[in-house]
Amino acid sequence: MKITKIEAIPFSIPYRKPLRFASGEVLAAEHVLVRVHTDDGLVGTAEAPPRPFTYGETQASIIAVIDGIFAPQIVGSSPLERESIHTRLNRTVANPTAKSAIDMAMWDLIGQSVGLPVTELLGGHGNRMRVSHMVGFAEPSEMVAEAGRVRELYGITTFKVKVGRRPIDLDVAACRALREALGDGIELYIDGNRGWSAADSARALRAMADLDLQFAEELCPADDVLGRRWLVAQSSIPMFADESVTRPGEVTRELLDGAATGISIKTARTGFTYSQRVLFQCEGLGVDVVMGNQIDGQIGSLCSLAFGAAFELTSRRAGELSNFLDMTDDLLTEPLQIRHGSLRVREAPGLGIDIDEDKLTHYRQDN
Ligand code: MUC
Ligand code: MG
């Protein structure tokens, strides 16, 4: 099996409502569909979500790096040569979601070629994950209404609340309102997207000490090296790193620095190959993980689910797998269905991604 062609197709699907958070906002899913074709007629599929505020990538840069650098480096290789392919891709620094989409599409091909779901190839721990829903910036009453609706419709009982950048009192009020309205039966945690200083973070955590938060994510920038170490040392809840850990070396640095005590794993930025390395590193060190969301569509969510369900450690916490609910439509022939707060892995070989070609024609931006 040899790779014959890689397609990088821009598409745009509107959101029902914007998702706002401390480092940016998303109004439409302007992603890149990546298709890796082989000489035996198989097609591996994944999507790359450009997040300029997190990785510096744009839709145009993802297409340019795939078409101009990555495709010429790997066309003619077998998808099984993953290590050698990654050595070639890694000659170009950064570009995490472009590299990861290629990586996951290759795993999709490997699964299809041997007739097994990627989850089984990766680890085969289970076939489902509990879902955590991300609640973006809004007035506290709107955030409560959204969480209540999501619990009612999908049975989701874990919520990640976006905080940071706006007045601390407003964030504290939102978290308090969620706890009071939805009760002790829900799990709550917060994500600051680097929006506070270390001192603000400490103040906010003190103000929320009675809200039984599960953990806090990326409250202040990792570049505030001593501030973050100071914050983590005094926190009574786990402090997770997200955008500061885009590759295994950064995970090592954050953990050894005392700058984080948990790690968000996002397949959108470390694919399956490097997400495994991040996971095994955390497991070896006794560090907690969560499956994060790069504001993925259904294709990206299927990828996170395939990875998260494959291992015991990633299945412990609810995975952030519901951002696609904010989208007006998607590209799969068979949409993802969250039931009783969980998503089930597809049983088809590979990732089970079947693209609706009419929808792709409608939403693609290059025709
Ligand atoms: C998250 O967990 O931070 C927002 C910015 C980003 O990089 O990912 C999203 C969600
Ligand atoms: Mg985050």
Side-chain angles (χ1 to χ4, degrees):
M1 178 170 57
K2 294 262 186 285
I3 297 170
T4 51
K5 183 171 77 168
I6 302 182
E7 287 182 284
I9 304 169
F11 65 91
S12 177
I13 301 178
Y15 266 49
R16 287 179 214 286
K17 62 172 183 57
L19 178 70
R20 299 204 161 91
F21 41 94
S23 59
E25 62 180 6
V26 174
L27 309 170
E30 299 198 316
H31 297 179
V32 179
L33 181 72
V34 174
R35 285 170 143 176
V36 179
H37 297 256
T38 63
D39 57 359
D40 49 9
L42 297 180
V43 183
T45 308
E47 72 176 332
R51 298 290 168 249
F53 40 79
T54 308
Y55 309 117
E57 292 175 292
T58 65
Q59 207 181 26
S61 81
I62 290 168
I63 294 166
V65 81
I66 291 178
D67 288 349
I69 303 181
F70 295 157
Q73 281 176 333
I74 66 179
V75 164
S77 303
S78 159
L80 285 164
E81 296 167 40
R82 292 187 307 283
E83 290 298 304
S84 138
I85 287 175
H86 277 293
T87 304
R88 280 173 259 162
L89 298 184
N90 287 336
R91 287 184 201 142
T92 305
V93 300
N95 293 285
T97 73
K99 289 174 184 168
S100 296
I102 292 175
D103 177 75
M104 295 188 286
M106 291 196 305
W107 276 91
D108 187 22
L109 285 169
I110 294 166
Q112 290 178 47
S113 70
V114 298
L116 290 171
V118 167
T119 296
E120 287 187 26
L121 294 181
L122 285 168
H125 169 74
N127 63 1
R128 60 173 62 241
M129 278 197 88
R130 280 193 304 128
V131 175
S132 162
H133 183 71
M134 201 181 287
V135 184
F137 286 174
E139 287 305 311
S141 59
E142 285 172 54
M143 294 167 72
V144 168
E146 179 184 339
R149 185 179 58 84
V150 164
R151 181 171 69 169
E152 181 70 27
L153 286 176
Y154 305 104
I156 294 174
T157 55
T158 302
F159 298 95
K160 155 152 144 175
V161 189
K162 288 298 196 181
V163 298
R165 204 191 63 210
R166 58 187 200 161
I168 291 178
D169 291 351
L170 184 54
D171 286 331
V172 173
C175 292
R176 191 167 296 286
L178 283 160
R179 175 60 77 207
E180 281 170 4
L182 301 178
D184 292 339
I186 60 159
E187 292 183 335
L188 277 183
Y189 57 101
I190 55 172
D191 182 2
N193 287 116
R194 300 160 279 148
W196 284 327
S197 65
D200 285 345
S201 308
R203 192 155 78 79
L205 286 176
R206 278 197 302 276
M208 292 191 265
D210 60 331
L211 297 183
D212 191 23
L213 298 179
Q214 296 277 307
F215 63 92
E217 181 172 308
E218 209 82 50
L219 296 185
C220 62
D223 281 355
D224 296 351
V225 178
L226 294 183
R228 190 141 138 167
R229 202 184 286 173
W230 168 84
L231 177 67
V232 170
Q234 66 183 266
S235 173
S236 60
I237 56 175
M239 299 293 270
F240 274 57
D242 173 13
E243 53 265 53
S244 57
V245 289
T246 65
R247 45 181 206 272
E250 287 180 339
V251 173
T252 311
R253 228 171 282 156
E254 285 303 288
L255 292 173
L256 292 188
D257 229 21
T261 50
I263 299 294
S264 171
I265 298 179
K266 293 187 175 174
T267 51
R269 69 168 166 239
T270 37
F272 296 141
T273 303
Y274 285 97
S275 292
Q276 276 186 322
R277 290 173 193 184
V278 169
L279 172 65
F280 298 158
Q281 189 181 354
C282 291
E283 198 171 38
L285 292 168
V287 168
D288 203 353
V289 303
V290 67
M291 288 308 296
N293 195 310
Q294 202 50 68
I295 321 178
D296 304 302
Q298 296 197 18
I299 299 170
S301 304
L302 256 184
C303 290
S304 286
L305 171 66
F307 186 89
F311 302 97
E312 192 273 334
L313 185 54
T314 44
S315 302
R316 279 188 206 166
R317 291 189 181 278
E320 296 165 10
L321 297 166
S322 65
N323 283 69
F324 69 85
L325 295 174
D326 288 340
M327 290 166 61
T328 52
D329 201 358
D330 216 306
L331 298 180
L332 297 182
T333 50
E334 197 192 320
L336 288 185
Q337 305 278 357
I338 301 173
R339 293 205 179 93
H340 307 297
S342 292
L343 266 175
R344 266 184 86 93
V345 174
R346 302 223 148 148
E347 281 166 14
L351 290 166
I353 295 170
D354 189 24
I355 299 294
D356 182 323
E357 294 299 330
D358 291 337
K359 288 191 175 182
L360 180 58
T361 303
H362 180 69
Y363 292 115
R364 68 189 294 166
Q365 296 163 292
D366 58 351
N367 57 7

